Amino acid sequence: MEGAFIQAVQQVFFSPYVWFVVIAAAIYGVFMGAVPGLTATMAVALLIPVVYFMDPVPALAALVTLTACAIFAGDIPNALLRIPGTPASAAYTEDAYRLTLLGKGDRVLAVCLISSVAGGLFGAVILILFAPSLAQLAARTFSVAEYFWLYLLGLSCAVIVSRGSMLRGLFALIIGLLLSLVGLSAVHAEARLTLGRPELYQGINFIPAMIGLFGVSEILRNMFAPRLGEQTADASELREPAERRRWFARPTDLLGISAMREASASLWTRKLHALRSSTIGAVIGMLPGAGADIGSWVSVAASKRFSSKPNEYGRGSMEGVSDGAAAKNAALAGAWVPALVFAIPGDSVTAIVIGVLLMKDVTPGPDIFTAQADIVYSIYLLFILANLVLIVAGTAAIRAGGLIRRTPKRVLLPIILLFCITGAYAINGSYFDVLVMGIMGFVGFLLDRRDISAGPVVLGIILGSPLEERFIQALTAADGSFLAFFSRPVAALLGVTALVLWLTPAIAWAMKRTRSGQEDRSLTS
């Protein structure tokens, strides 16, 4: 093993070719992640023809670096344009964007970067120390019932962390779940709610829907806000003092070093919260099919639960942004655990990675840790290297993103709309997806007018189908008995947790109504 580790160090750190690949992949990943609609999965898929001609270690270096940088870069349009680059970023879109409107754009992006790097390094440590044993534990304890409760917990967290009351969040979640019913499902023979349109047989693609709900709705809000007497002008005024100060800023401010230093100090002050968030992201990332999306939402919900300022969540919480970003990148390394040990993809990216590994004669499975130990050690080292390179690439991307805040709105809004249309069309090359994006833009605008968060809608569209699939599979396996959802220890624990999450607010509301009634009766008597 010692020889394999030394060989891995030589292959990763002493190869100029690997360093070149890592830097090129970082630039490519940041660009793809920062453009709304261009996902990390799409970036990895487009890179396959290139890595086909590479040796295994440079190919893995490209994939690991690209994914880490693209997932972080999704935070840039998330904070500056209110368009989440990835579904995981949607967990804290409202917080990041509102902080930007308050002139804290540099700081919130610095927090995203530092937390992403910390979460990514923590996930790499989890991958190194616990990969085989944790993967076997997850494989033994998680069946369809456990996944059903896990998905339900993720949806519950989306309601909890959304701005406004839980009833408004629940309303948004129901919209998302209804939209997820459209098309053919894995457990039904007939398509539903397609209105005779063949484009809807595959369901509503969440990428155009997400771009519409956040990006197009923001454009509409800026177009109609002056007529409605809203705060768009005020938001610009709030940004101006920060921009004016930039002309007299110190070199460390211009390079973003001060913001990075503040973000690092803040992360160290909240190190236990960061540890909790990274642990949540890494553990959930190890569960096949769960990934960073659920990890980020659950982490933000846990952050709100233990925060001393829960009212700020959904309205500009730096704590929520930091914890969500840490969980998101920690889940990346976690998703490699089942991919390496069982050849089971933890998410869509690792599904492509498994294909690349097989293409390079690297066979995932328990034997990989002995037969090809140098490749496993190389993957460990590449995760560490990718997250360190992310600091430089991310800082440069944040500086470039600052141009967005100095661009006049009459120029910026058409550019945003162009990116939205390009991103929606690029997924499948379909004009129907552009139409879906436009419709969801109006839906997002109407929800925003009623102070309803669009985040639960997105997660409802993503998790609605797998939730329904696991529900029917569990019932079918148990001959229709609902005891199947509580028959295993982990399923029972997750089920009780989900029920407590939903019943606690209902019981608190009933007790409050009872006390109010008693006080009214005592006053009248």
Side-chain angles (χ1 to χ4, degrees):
M1 288 296 173
E2 184 178 346
F5 178 74
I6 294 174
Q7 184 180 353
V9 170
Q10 292 174 342
Q11 289 175 334
V12 173
F13 292 115
F14 294 97
S15 170
Y17 181 49
V18 170
W19 277 97
F20 169 77
V21 170
V22 166
I23 294 171
I27 296 171
Y28 173 64
V30 165
F31 172 77
M32 293 293 285
V35 177
L38 302 185
T39 63
T41 305
M42 181 188 297
V44 171
L46 293 175
L47 200 64
I48 297 302
V50 179
V51 300
Y52 177 80
F53 298 98
M54 296 180 179
D55 292 332
V57 172
L60 290 169
L63 297 177
V64 171
T65 308
L66 160 64
T67 310
C69 292
I71 292 293
F72 156 72
D75 288 339
I76 297 175
N78 195 36
L80 300 182
L81 305 175
R82 195 172 171 256
I83 304 174
T86 65
S89 299
Y92 46 91
T93 297
E94 296 293 344
D95 291 305
Y97 185 66
R98 291 184 181 229
L99 287 168
T100 299
L101 290 181
L102 292 172
K104 300 178 181 178
D106 284 345
R107 190 181 171 194
V108 72
L109 285 173
V111 166
C112 288
L113 177 58
I114 296 299
S115 299
S116 295
V117 172
L121 291 173
F122 181 83
V125 172
I126 293 293
L127 177 68
I128 294 169
L129 296 180
F130 304 110
S133 56
L134 288 178
Q136 292 173 5
L137 178 66
R140 284 199 305 269
T141 55
F142 269 73
S143 66
V144 289
E146 284 81 3
Y147 277 109
F148 168 79
W149 287 120
L150 183 66
Y151 293 149
L152 192 63
L153 278 173
L155 294 171
S156 306
C157 293
V159 173
I160 292 171
V161 303
S162 62
R163 75 171 187 265
S165 68
M166 286 186 64
L167 283 177
R168 293 174 189 266
L170 179 61
F171 176 73
L173 177 61
I174 291 173
I175 293 176
L177 291 175
L178 289 174
L179 291 173
S180 73
L181 296 177
V182 175
L184 278 169
S185 74
V187 290
H188 292 92
E190 294 186 3
R192 300 169 297 188
L193 307 174
T194 60
L195 305 175
R197 299 284 306 196
E199 298 91 342
L200 289 175
Y201 276 41
Q202 298 298 321
I204 294 178
N205 192 317
F206 72 88
I207 296 292
M210 186 174 69
I211 293 174
L213 283 168
F214 290 101
V216 177
S217 69
E218 183 63 19
I219 295 172
L220 293 173
R221 193 176 72 85
N222 278 277
M223 288 173 59
F224 292 104
R227 302 177 194 176
L228 300 173
E230 287 190 346
Q231 303 300 320
T232 303
D234 296 340
S236 301
E237 291 169 4
L238 283 170
R239 264 201 308 261
E240 284 181 358
E243 302 302 329
R244 281 198 296 268
R245 285 196 298 271
R246 185 175 296 278
W247 292 100
F248 308 99
R250 294 170 298 179
T252 53
D253 295 333
L254 291 174
L255 294 174
I257 296 176
S258 298
M260 297 296 173
R261 194 180 297 152
E262 289 180 15
S264 302
S266 174
L267 184 71
W268 179 251
T269 304
R270 300 184 67 254
K271 50 185 174 293
L272 293 181
H273 298 275
L275 182 62
R276 180 197 61 222
S277 304
S278 300
T279 303
I280 291 174
V283 171
I284 293 181
M286 282 188 286
L287 305 176
D293 303 350
I294 299 179
S296 181
W297 284 96
V298 172
S299 174
V300 175
S303 174
K304 182 179 181 181
R305 171 66 181 80
F306 294 103
S307 173
S308 59
K309 297 174 285 187
N311 293 333
E312 291 185 359
Y313 283 71
R315 303 181 185 281
S317 170
M318 198 68 82
E319 295 178 357
V321 172
S322 175
D323 291 341
K328 173 168 59 74
N329 273 52
L332 292 180
W336 279 65
V337 174
L340 283 179
V341 179
F342 298 110
I344 299 174
D347 53 20
S348 55
V349 172
T350 48
I352 301 174
V353 167
I354 289 174
V356 173
L357 290 174
L358 294 173
M359 189 169 65
K360 300 297 178 186
D361 294 328
V362 178
T363 306
D367 293 339
I368 193 176
F369 292 90
T370 53
Q372 294 172 299
D374 61 313
I375 295 295
V376 175
Y377 285 127
S378 296
I379 293 173
Y380 296 162
L381 297 175
L382 285 171
F383 264 102
I384 295 174
L385 179 61
N387 280 284
L388 295 178
V389 170
L390 174 59
I391 298 175
V392 180
T395 302
I398 291 173
R399 293 298 91 201
L403 295 174
I404 295 176
R405 293 199 300 276
R406 292 191 289 275
T407 305
K409 191 177 296 181
R410 63 180 182 279
V411 177
L412 183 61
L413 291 180
I415 295 175
I416 295 175
L417 182 60
L418 179 63
F419 273 117
C420 289
I421 294 173
T422 304
Y425 179 79
I427 300 298
N428 295 315
S430 169
Y431 291 109
F432 186 79
D433 283 343
V434 179
L435 176 63
V436 170
M437 179 202 70
I439 294 173
M440 296 308 294
F442 279 103
V443 172
F445 175 68
L446 294 175
L447 291 177
D448 190 65
R449 294 286 306 145
R450 294 296 178 184
D451 198 27
I452 298 173
S453 175
V457 180
V458 174
L459 204 64
I461 296 173
I462 296 172
L463 293 185
S465 294
L467 180 76
E468 180 189 18
E469 186 180 341
R470 301 294 188 276
F471 178 77
I472 293 179
Q473 286 175 341
L475 279 182
T476 304
D479 293 329
S481 172
F482 283 92
L483 291 178
F485 294 100
F486 298 94
S487 60
R488 293 159 58 96
V490 176
L493 176 64
L494 292 174
V496 170
T497 304
L499 292 176
V500 168
L501 276 178
W502 284 103
L503 291 179
T504 301
I507 294 173
W509 177 80
M511 293 176 64
K512 185 178 179 181
R513 287 288 300 250
T514 303
R515 283 198 300 268
S516 304
Q518 290 174 347
E519 290 174 0
D520 292 342
R521 283 194 294 274
S522 62
L523 289 174
T524 53
S525 61

